[in-house]
Amino acid sequence: MTSLATIPAFAALDARTLVALERESSPIRYAAGAVIRPAAGPAGPVILLLRGTIVTAYPAASGGQFWAGRWDGPSIVDKPAVLGGPALSGALLATTAVTGRALPTVPFLRLLDDEPRVRRHVLGKLAADALALQQRMADAVTLPAVARVARSLLAEGAWRGSQEDLGRALGLSRVTVNRALARLAAESAIRLTPGGVDVTNQARLSTFTT
């Protein structure tokens, strides 16, 4: 059994197929903060993320970044860029140290053709991610900052990372996120920690989501 078996989309693959995928892919390592793919660059090989976190980043009007997508290993990274052909996409950034494998596009597409279970998993994840992004965009134009932060924390159960990174994920400034978190902490809905944010009272937090 190879490390690729830990990726949910590959969980049902037999050992022979997994070994073949490992042979067709090459190991990758990136340090935290590394640019894996520049903005509007070609999709390149499919990143099979084993450990770490990768985001897709777009420039924000404020001069910062908006993180439109995020992947925690083990997972397949940025499938829309791979399947969408030459369409423009954001930069891929490693927010933590990353290890994984790079699989050329052709064998990945062949895998989708040959393995219905992988294809269903990938299509289901694409649909779920698209719906989640639609909801985030709707929240951005209809909800105040406190509600957006509260909804995100309820959905995730916690946040591991800086307040600035949380702002990037939500399209908010660090100052705005800091104020929202301070209010939620004062209401005993969350607890701020050195590593991020813990939800301490889901019922109380849910009252701030509208």
Side-chain angles (χ1 to χ4, degrees):
M1 192 65 68
T2 78
S3 57
L4 294 180
T6 62
I7 295 176
F10 298 164
L13 292 178
D14 58 56
R16 182 177 180 180
T17 302
L18 289 168
V19 169
L21 285 174
E22 190 158 88
R23 288 174 178 167
E24 291 180 299
S25 61
S26 55
I28 57 172
R29 288 181 178 272
Y30 292 97
V35 177
I36 299 172
R37 184 189 69 207
V46 180
I47 296 176
L48 306 178
L49 178 62
L50 297 175
R51 295 183 183 83
T53 300
I54 294 175
V55 299
T56 179
Y58 291 83
S62 62
Q65 293 178 343
F66 170 59
W67 290 353
R70 170 176 167 158
W71 299 268
D72 298 307
S75 61
I76 304 172
V77 173
D78 204 16
K79 294 175 286 294
V82 176
L83 300 174
L88 297 181
S89 58
L92 283 185
L93 308 178
T95 61
T96 69
V98 161
T99 60
R101 302 191 71 84
L103 178 68
T105 303
V106 171
F108 178 69
L109 295 177
R110 185 178 67 241
L111 181 67
L112 295 182
D113 289 336
D114 295 344
E115 296 288 345
R117 288 171 295 184
V118 175
R119 182 167 63 249
R120 285 194 296 270
H121 187 283
V122 168
L123 291 176
K125 193 66 171 64
L126 284 172
D129 289 347
L131 291 172
L133 181 57
Q134 288 177 11
Q135 185 62 58
R136 287 170 61 198
M137 295 179 70
D139 290 349
V141 297
T142 60
L143 295 177
V146 171
R148 291 169 62 187
V149 172
R151 284 196 177 195
S152 177
L153 293 174
L154 271 178
E156 297 290 336
W159 173 260
R160 293 294 171 259
S162 69
Q163 293 182 18
E164 185 175 11
D165 286 351
L166 179 58
R168 289 167 175 158
L170 296 175
L172 297 169
S173 71
R174 182 186 59 80
V175 172
T176 300
V177 168
N178 181 270
R179 290 172 178 168
L181 291 174
R183 180 179 176 189
L184 295 173
E187 296 288 342
S188 300
I190 63 169
R191 180 176 66 248
L192 304 180
T193 71
V197 183
D198 290 333
V199 175
T200 55
N201 190 326
Q202 289 188 340
R204 183 60 177 155
L205 185 60
S206 66
T207 65
F208 291 91
T209 57
T210 57

